[in-house]
Amino acid sequence: MVRFTLTIVRHGETRYNKDKILQGQGVDEPLSATGFRQADAAGIFLSNVKFTHVFSSDLLRAKQTASTIIGKNKFCKDIVIQYDARLRERKYGIAEGRPLSDLKAMAKAAGEQCPSFTPSGGETLDEVRARAKSFFEFLCQLSIEEECQKEQAVLGMADNGLETLEGKPVFPLRNHCCGLELNSDTDKDTKMLNPNILVVSHGAYMRNWFGYFVLDLKCTLPSALKKSQLSSVSPNTGVSHFIINLGNGDVMKPEISCVCLNRDDHLADVNTENV
């Protein structure tokens, strides 16, 4: 069975987040001082996680967040962050650089609800979901290929009469996600999870991606999670964690389990404002 873990983090706060101004893809703002503190806190929160791959949106706020998180990591400070345009925020067209209230006014004038409204020059929700679907299928294929390589390596070692090493847990995050202890020695299902992937992206994009997981791929959710939380945008540097099983290596039929969604425990001591 091919199995991998996926940790998805929203970028830290920018000046425009604080002022409730839409950035989308056309406004490439850096992190604010608060945003860097949030990224530091997320990095400490995830510092014991042995990531095997790191992907980020190629927009500056996400790149800075990913770099800061990895800079705090005990195991993968030298890992190469791979930037992918498929992870960019939703494009808001003529609404970019303008207050969120303007987008709401445009939607009202068009007789539509704000989340589903597409301003001129912007992306539809279906287009955003197509990007998320493409990237997720890429991760699945990557995991399948690496599993094949691992099996070939194990066979090669066996042919040479060499002993294989016992698998080590690659997500040693204790007690942060809904009370689960993912690196427990008794947790047989998580000991050999590989790859262990970190993705840094954006709020509206992530909300759409999570909707794809739940509505299209029937992702299972923690019992304590309220459905209303699925429609909420992650807080800046909110952390979500998923376990993906691909069965017989079928990219089209993944089994996805959500361990935690948009967790922000690490921000308790960071001076932030709601965005």
Side-chain angles (χ1 to χ4, degrees), residues 98-138:
R98 297 170 64 174
L100 176 60
S101 58
D102 283 6
L103 178 66
K104 292 180 177 179
M106 292 179 196
K108 184 177 181 179
E112 298 183 34
Q113 296 295 317
C114 188
S116 59
F117 171 70
T118 304
S120 177
E123 281 184 295
T124 66
L125 293 181
D126 285 344
E127 288 172 331
V128 178
R129 185 163 298 195
R131 282 201 282 125
K133 180 176 183 291
S134 172
F135 183 76
F136 179 65
E137 290 178 353
F138 157 74

Side-chain angles (χ1 to χ4, degrees), residues 18-152:
K18 183 177 180 180
D19 295 338
K20 300 187 184 301
I21 296 175
L22 290 168
Q23 296 168 101
Q25 298 181 15
V27 178
D28 204 11
E29 276 281 297
L31 297 182
S32 64
T34 295
F36 275 112
R37 288 196 296 271
Q38 292 170 334
D40 281 338
I44 294 169
F45 182 75
L46 297 170
S47 62
N48 289 322
V49 183
K50 193 176 295 184
F51 293 112
T52 58
H53 303 75
V54 180
F55 295 92
S56 170
S57 158
D58 60 353
L59 296 175
L60 182 58
R61 56 196 184 273
K63 292 167 70 173
Q64 289 178 327
T65 302
S67 178
T68 302
I69 290 173
I70 292 305
K72 297 288 185 182
N73 197 278
K74 296 178 180 178
F75 301 103
C76 45
K77 291 181 184 294
D78 297 326
I79 198 167
V80 175
I81 301 172
Q82 301 178 63
Y83 303 112
D84 197 307
R86 287 175 293 185
L87 295 171
R88 288 181 178 183
E89 179 59 294
R90 182 185 180 189
K91 185 177 181 181
Y92 284 99
I94 62 171
E96 292 181 351
R98 297 170 64 174
L100 176 60
S101 58
D102 283 6
L103 178 66
K104 292 180 177 179
M106 292 179 196
K108 184 177 181 179
E112 298 183 34
Q113 296 295 317
C114 188
S116 59
F117 171 70
T118 304
S120 177
E123 281 184 295
T124 66
L125 293 181
D126 285 344
E127 288 172 331
V128 178
R129 185 163 298 195
R131 282 201 282 125
K133 180 176 183 291
S134 172
F135 183 76
F136 179 65
E137 290 178 353
F138 157 74
L139 294 184
C140 291
Q141 191 59 48
L142 172 70
S143 300
I144 291 170
E145 292 172 359
E146 293 205 351
E147 180 65 23
C148 291
Q149 293 173 2
K150 185 170 66 175
E151 290 177 355
Q152 291 173 359

Side-chain angles (χ1 to χ4, degrees), residues 101-265:
S101 58
D102 283 6
L103 178 66
K104 292 180 177 179
M106 292 179 196
K108 184 177 181 179
E112 298 183 34
Q113 296 295 317
C114 188
S116 59
F117 171 70
T118 304
S120 177
E123 281 184 295
T124 66
L125 293 181
D126 285 344
E127 288 172 331
V128 178
R129 185 163 298 195
R131 282 201 282 125
K133 180 176 183 291
S134 172
F135 183 76
F136 179 65
E137 290 178 353
F138 157 74
L139 294 184
C140 291
Q141 191 59 48
L142 172 70
S143 300
I144 291 170
E145 292 172 359
E146 293 205 351
E147 180 65 23
C148 291
Q149 293 173 2
K150 185 170 66 175
E151 290 177 355
Q152 291 173 359
V154 170
L155 289 174
M157 293 176 72
D159 290 341
N160 291 328
L162 299 175
E163 294 182 358
T164 59
L165 297 174
E166 181 182 358
K168 300 294 184 181
V170 294
F171 194 85
L173 181 60
R174 290 182 180 272
N175 301 323
H176 286 315
C177 292
C178 303
L180 294 184
E181 196 167 307
L182 296 181
N183 67 336
S184 169
D185 289 338
T186 60
D187 191 353
K188 303 301 183 183
D189 288 337
T190 60
K191 289 195 69 173
M192 291 296 290
L193 296 184
N194 187 41
N196 190 21
I197 300 169
L198 171 66
V199 171
V200 179
S201 188
H202 304 265
Y205 177 91
M206 289 167 54
R207 179 173 60 185
N208 200 296
W209 192 359
F210 298 160
Y212 165 65
F213 276 177
V214 174
L215 298 176
D216 293 12
L217 300 181
K218 310 305 178 186
C219 170
T220 60
L221 300 171
S223 58
L225 187 72
K226 298 179 181 178
K227 288 190 176 181
S228 60
Q229 292 176 258
L230 287 172
S231 60
S232 301
V233 173
S234 169
N236 290 110
T237 69
V239 176
S240 299
H241 182 67
F242 301 86
I243 298 174
I244 295 96
N245 293 313
L246 295 176
N248 296 320
D250 189 347
V251 173
M252 304 309 295
K253 295 182 179 180
E255 296 179 2
I256 306 175
S257 176
C258 176
V259 179
C260 57
L261 189 75
N262 299 336
R263 295 298 297 264
D264 60 355
D265 309 58

